[in-house]
């Protein structure tokens, strides 16, 4: 019975957490810029306003289906990532499945934006995919390293292993190199400032979101909120020993998110090829060396 | 035991009839359709006859032409006849009136005859005889369709002849070593062979099959060869033709030599024959996929991908674990399904717009939704994303590589996947998305005869994706017949006890997610449909004359990153070999100087040299 | 039992008949020649079954050997006379239309002389008689090479003549040494006495003979005349030369080494010479642009292959070599004959000018393809079985040396298939530059068709052919001839 | 046989000398006619060798002209028969060679082998 | 142009209260007004407190801020951008140039008052008003939305002909914006 409850309320729960985190991040960045910044619930207002827009421009059936695919994919990923107290779906799909499901929203958005036939959108998408190629290789590599040590590809079992070892068992502590590489890759995965070239406002009019307005943009913001929480949970499950209870989970989420957005707040934006070169020059070798340590 | 003879005789009949009626297209069309339909029916019905042997009483060098049906060649026969039937259905309208299509169906029949013979053969000699017929008919098939096809077919031929000559050496060397051509006998006597000789023999067979299945260093013939001929042939070739090489590798690696003997060939510690083969497979995954990024022609892009995907199959086989081998074999079927689907979509675009140049196309989704859907299913399969079949076999291969302890091969697979996703999106974006150019305003969707194969393949791609168990049953039987451990499969993924894959649940949750989003979508107000020129372009007015698609140099930034590492080693080595042969033949040609005096001196020198040499001998 | 001597007398008699009655018969001489050769075909085929029981020994002019001359017709002689007469008839049929002009009676006399020479060389049991027939064969082929009457024809004829006479000088020296050593010229008698000679003399005889006969058999360093002779001779004559003339010389060498000299150590050396000839022939042909020169170099390659097969010192080797000879005679004649009419119709020797000829001359291009496929050893054709047997025989000999030899042979086949494919692609190119070319007349096509029957239906008669070639192999290996001395 | 100067060694060395001389002429001379002469020289050398094989010391020519001549006193007649045919063949070949050279000269206008190199490579 | 305040349902009151807190602004930086915007956005005045963010595309924007004089050519772009914006959209005229032509009152090439071409919600007077004025006018706009009176965008549909004539008079002919205003009007059931 409580799995059904979990299934119904998990999306709402993560949406609320994600939106408050986004609101918090905007206030945090504002505070760094010595200004008050919007209230915490600002993102709720934005999403509500977008959803209540009178006209919602759409360029074709693929544009609509892409939005469904976008949020649908993120919800799918959400269910498969173990959260404290709920890992019902974990036995049906392991880390590899999660790695691939993460790509469905990206593909969905790409198809939808392609349908809008806006040149800025296409440039944005090509940059987003190149960035994907950049950060995904180190990230999957770190996971491969872990899966190899523990001879399992299931994320739930990895959490058990880490929790069994207590603080020292954390991924970040036992394999520091892999942890750091994954952290940098995570920065790219969340689309934070140094790797935010695909949504550059002035250069390509927020890239993929050029033609997204009204409820389309609203759903994209919902998706963005949930996916941030999901990706952070993945990192926590792999490297910070998963969460024993919800307080520990929220604490880790908060600390990790603050770390990332503080980097986001102070860094400028890389060019695409510089970003990919950075991703392939720093985190990738780190991950490879990490794996070499594991083998020998 | 008449099924095998019917299969082969029927294909020969097909060749004969098509040669007789080469004048009229209509007769050829319907003959081929009927015959291939019967062939597919026969190969499906062949299942109960697995294990039976059939011989033609014709003796070559003491060996009858023998055929036998095993689960492995039943699996491949199904694929061959199935895909050929779909290609014929698709090309009923596609090939009508195209220049140079008189021998279209004849060549197709000849090729099927060769392939069926290869996979059904029970001994090395029949295998080699049909292998020669197959490689000649592939050459003929590749050279239909204009002048560039001739050049690329010639390049294929050079590789194919080398492959068949190496195979001939291997066949006869094993005959002289084991005294018989029969697979079973050789498998029995394999233990008696010394280690270095087994290694040498295995390398010979595996090299010739690698040339045919375009493994990394010898793959350069495939992209041009497959893309310069008719597009339906590109589908047919990249779907099944290169996979006969994979059949050969499976048969010899596991059937004839057996996994135990192969594992004895260790070099140092963990590095054994399979690991070295895995490295080649890994290179086959990475290099072609990132070359596909640079392509401007849809057919070339897909041809490069079929090379890359071949790498996945080989790395699955090279991993050696039950899961990996099952993944490799399953990937052959999956790849065939989605690559043929993609190329059919490209063919229908070419049929309507007349070009496959990615820089010139765009926005066709508005005019050809079915082809778009087909291409979408195909690229999701090719990229290996969950709901489609590509993901399942890739998941098997990944899991086998990780649990088998091959991190670097797994890394290569990851890099290959990402390269695929990028170039695959470029394909669908440049062709179907973006602004529709003015010249394609009156394009219509393709007719039913071309849509039918696409619908069938879409169902196969999705069906196998959600219910992989349908094919895993046969693959498990194959593994058992080859003496390997069978993979613990369930109808929709891996059995719950031993693994973490349940495609039904994944797809169900995905549908659930889409339903939830659809509800949220309905909360908002109704959507307003706008045309393609109602677009924000910095306040400028968009119209026909300024319709701009971002197609050219789609991944310019990534290309700047990769360019310093692209040394084009393969092209340089090939040019090197070609110039060396030319130089040698030029030098030898000059021996005949035309001066009668020098000829006389040649005779006397030969005389003296013979005396000196023979003095020692006698 | 028909007396085999007729095989020599009939062509010789008709040759002189034709040359004397030339003015009376005008251009009906060719039918006389055809009659003679048909008779030859009937005789040689009728000889075949008898020869299998026991070889026929024919005494000429009543004087018994070792003083008199005798004919020894074993399986080798019978099979070869069948090959010669059938090929001769078909090529004669081809040259009915090919050789025009009132001087054609000269062509037919020389043709018949050439056939006499070849029959003589293969059937004779006496060494000096062998030399005489060799000279008849050589002289008639010198003239026939220059028959076309153009600058290239005469240049090739002169070169061929000079090299040929150097070769005959070497053979004559060998014969002199033989007679000085053993006092006998009869092959059977010589075989017995040869082993008594001291090693130095035996070596000299062997080397003189091999070099002399090697010039005619086109082994590597000695075959400099072949490319010029075959490319500038009229195509029917190149077909004859490549078809069976060089094979006869080769078989004579092999017969002498196996039965008379009985020095099997030499075979290793001959095998290496064969492979070198193969590689030189293939590589030289790789960059040719004149179609007949390509075919000439390819003949050198094939001769190398046959020599390699024959000198494997095993029954299987000789059997495979004989099958390869049959295949080479048939397919090389097809190629030369079809090329002949292509040159006549397009007026150019460069095959790059035949772009898209398949549209205008579909039948001859089709036969050309058949010839190429059979020469390369592609399965359904006869060439595949002969090449398969050669490589089986080679690998049965075993050892790393033969494995490397086999890989070199396969390398030669790869090169060969590449340059032949270049030609085929030019034939079947779609952008045709040739407009006014018409198909070759019916008669030549008939003769080419009959040749292609051999390679197409070869695999049906495989058991019969292998039985004959098997007997040849046993004849050579068990020195059958020596048992039938008197 | 007194000392080394027996008849057979003299004849053998003479024939060897002739053959070597003839072949030397063929290989070095550029003029075609000189080459034919060289060939004839080599041919005669071989004939000398052939004849010398039949020599038996002290015997006379194998002709039954005088009554009481026994076969054992005659020289071996067989090589002489061979030499006859060989000379006839040599004569035929040289005649043919010269005829061809004349026609070649008409066509090319020169006898120099280094210039007649139409067919090469 | 005062609009009779119709009776709003409870849901409209709540949604107005919520959506007034998030206004995204597409500012058309022309004339000398653009320089006033950065100070309002940054630390000293920080308009983000009120949920007002600068946005780049009309599809996402609610407020279209015209910050100075508009020549004929730029007016065409403004009209096109206005029509591309999504429904509850508010135009804010910035500075005297948009009110009555400002210092370019007698220029031959600039348009004199903005609301003859597109319906304007609020004006900010001043020959380049200071950030305090901007913040004040935005608060005024927020309250107006809250009271449900900010319906100028409906006015564009109600008397579209008026606007059309003025535009065509200035542009000497219609401009192709691919927006069927009549159909949109039906969409929002405005007669």
């Amino acid at each position: 019975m409580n799995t059904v409850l979990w299934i119904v309320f998990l999306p709402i729960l993560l949406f609320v957490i994600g939106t408050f985190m986004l609101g918090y991040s905007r206030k945090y960045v504002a505070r760094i810029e010595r200004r008050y910044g919007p209230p915490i619930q600002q993102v709720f207002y934005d999403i509500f306003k977008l959803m209540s827009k009178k006209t919602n421009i759409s360029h074709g059936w693929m544009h609509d289906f892409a939005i469904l695919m976008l949020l649908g994919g993120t919800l799918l990923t959400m269910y498969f990532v173990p959260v404290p107290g709920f890992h019902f779906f974990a036995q049906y799909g392991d880390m590899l499945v999660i790695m691939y499901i993460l790509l469905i929203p990206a593909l969905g958005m790409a198809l939808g934006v392609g349908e809008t036939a806006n040149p800025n959108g296409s440039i944005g998408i090509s940059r987003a995919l190149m960035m994907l190629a950049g950060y995904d290789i180190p990230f999957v590599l770190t996971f491969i390293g872990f899966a190899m040590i523990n001879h399992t590809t299931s994320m739930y079992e990895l959490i058990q292993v880490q929790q069994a070892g207590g603080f020292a068992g954390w991924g970040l502590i036992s394999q520091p190199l892999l942890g750091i590489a994954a952290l940098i890759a995570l920065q790219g995965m969340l689309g934070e400032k140094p790797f935010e070239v695909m949504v550059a406002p002035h250069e390509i009019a927020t890239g993929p979101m050029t033609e997204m307005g009204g409820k389309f943009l609203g759903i994209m913001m919902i998706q963005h909120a949930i996916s941030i929480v999901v990706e952070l949970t993945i990192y926590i499950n792999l490297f910070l020993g998963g969460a024993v209870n919800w307080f520990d989970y929220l604490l880790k989420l908060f600390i990790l998110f603050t770390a990332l957005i503080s980097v986001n707040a102070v860094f400028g934006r890389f060019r695409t090829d510089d970003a990919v070169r950075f991703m392939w020059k720093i985190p990738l070798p780190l991950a490879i060396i990490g794996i070499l340590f594991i083998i020998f | 035991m008449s099924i095998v003879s019917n299969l082969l005789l029927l294909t020969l009949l097909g060749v004969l009839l098509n040669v007789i009626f080469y004048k009229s297209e209509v007769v050829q069309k319907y003959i081929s359709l009927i015959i291939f339909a019967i062939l597919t029916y026969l190969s499906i019905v062949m299942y109960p006859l697995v294990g039976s042997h059939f011989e033609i009483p014709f003796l070559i060098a003491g060996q009858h032409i023998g055929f036998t049906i095993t689960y492995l060649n039943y699996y491949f026969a199904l694929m061959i006849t199935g895909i050929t039937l779909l290609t014929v259905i698709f090309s009923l309208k596609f090939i009508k009136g195209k220049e140079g299509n008189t021998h279209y169906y004849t060549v197709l029949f000849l090729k099927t005859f060769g392939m069926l013979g290869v996979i059904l053969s029970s001994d090395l000699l029949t295998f080699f005889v049909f292998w020669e017929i197959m490689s000649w008919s592939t050459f003929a098939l590749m050279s239909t369709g204009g002048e560039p096809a001739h050049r690329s077919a010639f390049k294929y031929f050079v590789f194919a002849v080398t492959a068949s000559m190496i195979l001939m050496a291997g066949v006869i060397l094993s005959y002289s070593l084991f005294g018989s051509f029969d697979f079973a006998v050789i498998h029995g006597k394999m233990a008696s062979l010394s280690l270095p000789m087994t290694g040498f023999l295995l390398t010979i067979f595996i090299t010739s099959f690698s040339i045919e299945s375009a493994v990394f260093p010898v793959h350069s013939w495939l992209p041009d060869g497959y893309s310069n001929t008719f597009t339906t042939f590109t589908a047919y070739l990249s779907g099944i033709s290169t996979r006969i090489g994979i059949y050969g590798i499976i048969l010899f690696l596991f059937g004839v030599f057996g996994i135990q003997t192969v594992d004895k060939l260790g070099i140092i510690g963990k590095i054994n024959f399979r690991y070295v083969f895995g490295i080649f497979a890994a290179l086959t995954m990475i290099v072609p996929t990132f070359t596909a990024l640079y392509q401007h022609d849809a057919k070339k892009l897909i041809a490069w991908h079929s090379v890359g995907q071949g790498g996945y199959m080989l790395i699955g086989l090279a991993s050696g674990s039950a899961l990996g081998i099952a993944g490799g074999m399953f990937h052959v079927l999956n790849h065939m399904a989605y690559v043929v689907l993609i190329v059919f979509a490209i063919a229908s675009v070419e049929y309507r717009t007349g070009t496959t140049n990615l820089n010139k196309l765009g926005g066709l989704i508005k005019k050809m939704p079915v082809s778009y859907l087909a291409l979408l299913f195909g690229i999701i399969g090719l990229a290996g994303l969950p709901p489609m079949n590509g993901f399942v076999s890739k998941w098997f291969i990944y899991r086998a590589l990780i649990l088998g302890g091959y991190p670097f091969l797994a890394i290569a697979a990851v890099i290959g996947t990402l390269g695929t996703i990028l170039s695959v999106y470029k394909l669908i974006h440049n062709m179907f998305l973006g602004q529709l150019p003015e010249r394609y305003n009156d394009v219509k969707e393709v007719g039913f005869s071309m849509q039918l194969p696409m619908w069938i393949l879409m169902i196969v791609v999705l069906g196998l994706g959600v219910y992989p168990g349908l094919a895993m049953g046969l693959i498990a039987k194959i593994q058992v017949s080859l003496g390997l451990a069978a993979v613990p499969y369930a109808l929709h993924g891996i059995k719950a006890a031993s693994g973490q894959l349940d495609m039904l649940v994944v797809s169900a949750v995905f549908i659930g997610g889409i339903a939830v989003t659809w509800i949220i979508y309905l909360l908002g107000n109704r959507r307003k449909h706008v045309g393609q020129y109602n677009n924000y372009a910095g306040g400028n007015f968009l119209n026909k004359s300024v319709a701009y698609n971002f197609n050219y140099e789609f991944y310019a930034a990534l290309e700047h990153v990769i360019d310093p590492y692209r040394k084009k080693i393969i092209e340089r080595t090939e040019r090197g070999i070609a110039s060396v042969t030319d130089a040698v033949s030029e030098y030898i040609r000059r021996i005949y100087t035309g001066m009668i005096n020098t000829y006389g001196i040649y005779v006397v020198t030969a005389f003296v040299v013979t005396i000196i040499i023979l003095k020692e001998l006698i | 039992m028909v007396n085999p001597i007729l095989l020599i007398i009939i062509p010789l008699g008709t040759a002189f008949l034709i040359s004397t009655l030339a003015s009376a018969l005008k251009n009906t001489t060719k039918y006389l020649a055809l009659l003679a050769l048909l008779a030859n075909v009937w005789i040689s085929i009728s000889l075949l079954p008898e020869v299998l029981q026991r070889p026929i020994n024919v005494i000429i002019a009543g004087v018994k050997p070792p003083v008199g001359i005798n004919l020894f017709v074993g399986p080798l002689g019978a099979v070869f006379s069948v090959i010669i007469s059938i090929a001769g008839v078909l090529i004669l049929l081809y040259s009915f239309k090919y050789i025009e002009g009132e001087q054609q009676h000269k062509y037919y006399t020389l043709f018949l002389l050439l056939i006499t020479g070849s029959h003589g060389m293969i059937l004779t049991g006496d060494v000096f008689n062998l030399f005489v027939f060799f000279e008849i064969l050589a002289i008639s082929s010198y003239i026939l090479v220059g028959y076309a009457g153009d600058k290239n024809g005469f240049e090739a004829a002169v070169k061929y003549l000079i090299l040929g006479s150097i070769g005959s000088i070497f053979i004559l020296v060998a014969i002199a040494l033989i007679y000085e050593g053993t006092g006998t010229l009869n092959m059977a008698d010589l075989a017995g006495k040869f082993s008594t000679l001291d090693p130095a003399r035996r070596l000299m005889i062997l080397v003189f003979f091999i070099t002399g006969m090697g010039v005619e058999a086109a082994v590597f360093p000695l075959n400099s005349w072949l490319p010029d002779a075959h490319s500038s001779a009229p195509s029917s004559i190149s077909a004859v030369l490549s078809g069976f003339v060089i094979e006869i010389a080769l078989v004579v060498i092999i017969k002498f080494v196996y039965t008379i000299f009985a020095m099997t150590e030499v075979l290793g050396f001959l095998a290496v010479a064969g492979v070198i000839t193969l590689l030189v022939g293939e590589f030289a042909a790789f960059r040719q642009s004149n179609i007949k020169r390509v075919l000439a170099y390819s003949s050198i390659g094939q001769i190398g292959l046959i020599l390699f097969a024959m000198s494997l010192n095993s029954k299987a080797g000789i059997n495979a070599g004989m099958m390869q000879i049959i295949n080479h005679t048939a397919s090389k004649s097809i190629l030369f004959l079809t090329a002949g009419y292509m040159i006549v119709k397009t007026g150019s020797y460069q095959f790059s000018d035949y772009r898209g000829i398949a549209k205008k001359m579909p039948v001859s291009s089709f036969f050309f393809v058949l010839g190429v496929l059979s020469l390369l050893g592609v399965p359904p054709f006869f060439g595949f079985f002969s090449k398969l047997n050669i490589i089986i025989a080679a690998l049965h000999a075993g050892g790393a040396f033969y494995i490397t030899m086999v890989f070199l042979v396969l390398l030669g086949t790869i090169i060969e298939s590449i340059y032949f494919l270049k030609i085929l692609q030019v034939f079947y190119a779609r952008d045709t530059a040739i407009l006014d070319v018409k198909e070759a007349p019916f008669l030549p096509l008939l003769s080419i068709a009959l040749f292609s029957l051999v390679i197409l239906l070869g695999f049906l008669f495989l058991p019969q052919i292998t039985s004959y070639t098997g007997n040849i192999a046993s004849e050579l290996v068990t020195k059958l001839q020596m048992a039938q001395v008197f | 046989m007194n000392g080394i100067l027996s008849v057979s060694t003299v004849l053998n060395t003479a024939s060897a000398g002739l053959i070597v001389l003839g072949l030397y002429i063929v290989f070095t001379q550029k003029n075609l006619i000189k080459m034919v002469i060289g060939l004839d020289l080599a041919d005669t050398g071989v004939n000398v060798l052939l004849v010398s094989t039949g020599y038996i010391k002290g015997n006379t020519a194998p002709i039954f002209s005088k009554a009481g001549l026994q076969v054992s006193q005659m020289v071996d007649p067989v090589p002489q028969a061979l030499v006859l045919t060989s000379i006839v063949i040599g004569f035929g070949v040289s005649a043919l060679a010269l005829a061809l050279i004349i026609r070649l000269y008409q066509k090319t206008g020169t006898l120099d082998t280094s210039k007649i190199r139409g067919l090469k490579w | 142009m005062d609009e009779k305040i119709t009776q709003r349902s409870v849901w409209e009151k709540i949604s107005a209260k919520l959506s007034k807190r998030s206004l995204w602004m597409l500012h058309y930086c022309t004339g000398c007004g653009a320089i006033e915007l950065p100070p309002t956005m940054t630390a000293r005045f920080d308009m983000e407190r009120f949920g007002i963010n600068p946005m780049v595309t009309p599809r996402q924007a609610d407020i279209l801020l015209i910050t100075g004089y508009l020549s004929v050519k730029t007016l065409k772009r403004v009209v096109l951008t206005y029509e591309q914006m999504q429904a509850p959209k508010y135009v804010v005229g910035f500075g005297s140039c948009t009110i009555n032509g400002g210092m370019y009152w007698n220029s031959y090439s600039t348009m004199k008052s903005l609301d003859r071409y597109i319906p304007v919600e609020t004006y900010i007077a001043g020959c380049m008003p200071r950030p305090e004025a901007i913040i004040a006018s935005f608060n005024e706009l927020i309250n107006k939305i809250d009271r449900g009176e900010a319906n100028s965008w409906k006015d564009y549909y109600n008397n579209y002909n008026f606007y059309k004539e003025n535009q065509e008079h200035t542009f000497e002919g219609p401009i192709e914006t691919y927006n069927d205003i009549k159909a949109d009007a039906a969409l929002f059931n405005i007669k």
Side-chain angles (χ1 to χ4, degrees), chain B residues 190 193-207 257 261-262 265 273:
Chain B
M190 185 54 72
L193 213 56
S194 71
L195 213 51
M197 184 49 95
T198 346
F200 177 65
L201 206 58
L202 187 62
T203 338
I204 289 181
F205 282 119
I206 295 296
T207 350
F257 279 80
T261 33
V262 170
L265 306 166
F273 181 83

Side-chain angles (χ1 to χ4, degrees), chain C residues 91 94-95 98-100 107 110-111 140-150 152-154 156-157 228-242 292 333 336-337 339-341 343-344 349:
Chain C
I91 291 170
Y94 174 85
S95 32
Y98 191 69
I99 304 292
E100 253 45 17
Y107 172 83
L110 289 167
F111 192 85
S140 49
S141 46
Y142 298 153
I143 309 164
L144 280 171
V145 163
Y147 185 80
D150 57 356
N152 286 350
F154 286 122
D228 307 344
H230 285 219
S231 60
S232 40
S235 294
S236 57
I237 295 311
S238 336
V240 162
L241 286 179
S242 287
K292 288 187 74 176
S333 311
F336 266 115
L337 298 182
Y341 261 92
I343 296 166
V344 162
Y349 280 83

Side-chain angles (χ1 to χ4, degrees), chain A:
Chain A
M1 177 48 205
N2 73 347
T3 34
V4 172
L5 270 173
W6 270 115
I7 290 174
V8 169
F9 285 104
L10 187 64
I12 299 158
L13 203 61
L14 290 194
F15 163 67
V16 166
I17 298 170
T19 326
F20 274 118
M21 275 163 61
L22 281 176
Y24 156 73
S25 80
R26 280 170 66 173
K27 193 163 225 10
Y28 181 82
V29 166
R31 274 290 181 266
I32 290 178
E33 288 164 4
R34 292 186 65 244
R35 56 187 176 83
Y36 282 101
I40 293 288
Q41 69 281 11
Q42 179 58 38
V43 181
F44 281 100
Y45 293 144
D46 293 346
I47 289 174
F48 182 83
K49 180 212 57 182
L50 286 171
M51 292 306 285
S52 64
K53 272 281 186 196
K54 290 274 185 305
T55 47
N56 303 300
I57 302 288
S58 152
H59 282 270
W61 60 273
M62 189 59 214
H63 191 170
D64 316 333
F65 180 70
I67 293 303
L68 302 185
M69 210 169 143
L70 184 77
L71 188 55
T74 315
L75 291 178
L76 176 69
T77 336
M78 175 191 69
Y79 279 120
F80 274 92
V81 171
V83 171
F86 171 73
H87 46 80
F88 168 73
F89 283 106
Q91 83 235 10
Y92 295 111
D94 62 356
M95 190 62 196
L96 287 171
V97 175
I98 294 167
M99 277 301 129
Y100 272 88
I101 300 174
L102 273 175
L103 304 178
I104 292 185
L107 183 69
M109 184 169 68
L111 292 170
V113 164
E115 168 75 13
T116 56
N118 191 306
N120 291 333
S122 308
I123 299 171
I125 285 301
S126 89
R127 287 185 181 180
L129 287 174
M130 283 189 263
M131 276 307 299
L132 169 78
Y135 65 72
D136 216 36
I137 296 177
F139 197 80
V140 173
L141 223 62
T142 48
F143 154 68
I144 287 171
F146 266 102
M148 256 194 23
I149 320 165
N150 310 322
H151 290 296
T152 164
T153 54
S154 145
M155 186 181 270
Y156 186 63
E157 282 155 25
L158 282 179
I159 299 170
Q160 307 307 50
V161 162
Q162 286 179 61
Q163 277 169 357
F167 181 75
W170 278 11
L172 196 59
I173 312 303
S174 60
Q175 304 293 344
L177 288 178
L178 293 183
I180 295 157
L183 197 62
I184 299 168
L186 188 62
Q187 182 83 0
M189 192 183 273
L190 297 180
E192 292 305 325
K193 194 53 76 59
F195 309 104
E196 205 199 13
V197 77
M198 53 269 200
V199 284
H202 295 287
E203 190 187 356
I204 42 170
T206 64
M209 270 83 79
T210 322
E211 278 296 306
M212 295 288 178
K215 63 182 178 185
F216 295 103
L217 191 56
I219 292 177
M220 279 185 90
M221 285 191 77
I222 297 170
Q223 185 266 342
H224 183 63
I226 297 177
S227 72
I228 279 187
V229 174
V230 166
E231 274 141 20
L232 290 177
T233 334
I234 290 175
Y235 186 81
I236 291 167
N237 290 346
L238 279 182
F239 294 98
L240 304 178
V244 176
N245 53 40
W246 271 83
F247 172 71
D248 169 27
Y249 174 58
L250 290 177
L251 188 67
K252 284 180 181 164
L253 261 179
F254 178 75
I255 299 162
L256 190 63
F257 190 61
T258 325
L260 292 181
I261 40 173
S262 37
V263 166
N264 169 25
V266 292
F267 264 90
R269 189 174 297 122
F270 274 137
R271 247 188 15 195
T272 327
D273 45 8
D274 289 346
V276 174
R277 234 180 247 116
F278 174 84
M279 275 293 175
W280 283 354
K281 278 222 170 41
I282 312 287
L284 192 57
L286 265 176
I288 291 175
I289 297 161
I291 288 186
L292 282 179
F293 276 147
I294 292 169
I295 298 175
F296 304 115

